[in-house]
Amino acid sequence: EAQVTQNPRYLITVTGKKLTVTCSQNMNHEYMSWYRQDPGLGLRQIYYSMNVEVTDKGDVPEGYKVSRKEKRNFPLILESPSPNQTSLYFCASSLSWEINSYEQYFGPGTRLTVT
Amino acid sequence: GNSVTQMEGPVTLSEEAFLTINCTYTATGYPSLFWYVQYPGEGLQLLLKATKADDKGSNKGFEATYRKETTSFHLEKGSVQVSDSAVYFCALSRDTGGFKTIFGAGTRLFVKA
């Protein structure tokens, strides 16, 4: 089944404790992206990757890191989480970033709470 | 900068009523426009898209037309069902040397039987 998977689905952690949220897709997609969803703000893009070894900042990159060493994986790293990073996080992928083939498939989400 | 504004919800309709969810955008150049739907407890799913002015996207009875003159991409459906209850997000994407996506705040739709 074609899908985007994220792990963990739920995570409660403490301020300052490094964590990684994994994202994997099995559709051979070039483009991958991370978003956070907060009430009243919709989704805001954190980082995106147009292909392996190519990543760039979205609108809210502060406090996050990403890497794209393999096509299928795009982990999100919080080196020192803070309470304002408590949110619902979504990973998404698209076959390509070119206009006619840009259609994002979303993972199920990771609900992160930082205390 | 680029932005997307959606009508505030929640929107509550009776089954078989006509639905309109307004979406306007601000962007330079020619963005692509999208509607996504999020059912409770799930990730977003692409509902429809349009990549150039006057294009009409359609899917599952939903339609939206890319209106460059009014910078709008309103979502419509002629007869809603209870199963359409969800949150709807309007979004734009634009190639600015990278390829970012901007989402609206979302509009929650409740459909009563």
Side-chain angles (χ1 to χ4, degrees):
Chain A
E1 180 189 354
Q3 59 184 349
V4 178
T5 56
Q6 296 179 225
N7 282 293
R9 295 289 313 278
Y10 301 91
L11 178 60
I12 301 174
T13 190
V14 296
T15 299
K17 186 176 182 181
K18 180 180 179 179
L19 66 92
T20 300
V21 184
T22 64
C23 173
S24 182
Q25 49 90 7
N26 62 0
M27 296 171 280
N28 202 35
H29 283 176
E30 288 188 351
Y31 182 95
M32 297 185 74
S33 185
W34 276 103
Y35 298 89
R36 60 179 288 173
Q37 183 178 14
D38 301 291
L41 297 177
L43 277 77
R44 292 178 292 168
Q45 194 167 30
I46 302 170
Y47 272 95
Y48 63 94
S49 169
M50 295 168 74
N51 212 328
V52 176
E53 302 292 358
V54 180
T55 63
D56 208 347
K57 296 177 181 178
D59 288 328
V60 289
E62 294 78 19
Y64 304 94
K65 287 175 58 176
V66 293
S67 67
R68 186 95 182 272
K69 297 178 182 175
E70 307 166 278
K71 199 171 191 178
R72 63 184 296 130
N73 295 323
F74 191 45
L76 179 70
I77 303 158
L78 285 71
E79 295 268 4
S80 182
S82 63
N84 64 11
Q85 293 179 297
T86 292
S87 188
L88 179 58
Y89 291 86
F90 287 101
C91 181
S93 72
S94 173
L95 178 64
S96 138
W97 54 271
E98 295 178 19
I99 286 178
N100 288 329
S101 53
Y102 184 67
E103 297 183 7
Q104 292 190 89
Y105 293 79
F106 282 78
T110 295
R111 186 166 292 282
L112 172 65
T113 302
V114 183
T115 62
Chain B
N2 300 327
S3 66
V4 175
T5 302
Q6 291 181 233
M7 64 187 288
E8 286 192 27
V11 173
T12 303
L13 296 173
S14 298
E15 209 165 23
E16 299 184 3
F18 185 86
L19 168 71
T20 300
I21 300 178
N22 291 336
C23 172
T24 57
Y25 68 91
T26 301
T28 54
Y30 301 94
S32 296
L33 300 174
F34 305 84
W35 277 101
Y36 286 87
V37 59
Q38 184 179 33
Y39 298 103
E42 298 184 8
L44 280 71
Q45 302 173 24
L46 178 65
L47 184 57
L48 53 85
K49 72 174 187 179
T51 59
K52 60 183 186 294
D54 300 324
D55 264 3
K56 177 186 280 188
S58 61
N59 186 25
K60 299 180 182 179
F62 290 90
E63 293 183 341
T65 301
Y66 188 163
R67 302 284 188 201
K68 189 161 179 62
E69 63 277 12
T70 54
T71 62
S72 65
F73 193 55
H74 304 322
L75 182 68
E76 296 181 336
K77 187 176 185 183
S79 176
V80 293
Q81 305 300 312
V82 172
S83 58
D84 293 326
S85 298
V87 181
Y88 293 81
F89 291 93
C90 185
L92 71 82
S93 294
R94 198 170 155 261
D95 185 355
T96 57
F99 201 77
K100 293 183 180 180
T101 299
I102 308 293
F103 282 82
T107 302
R108 184 174 295 277
L109 170 66
F110 292 105
V111 180
K112 303 179 297 183

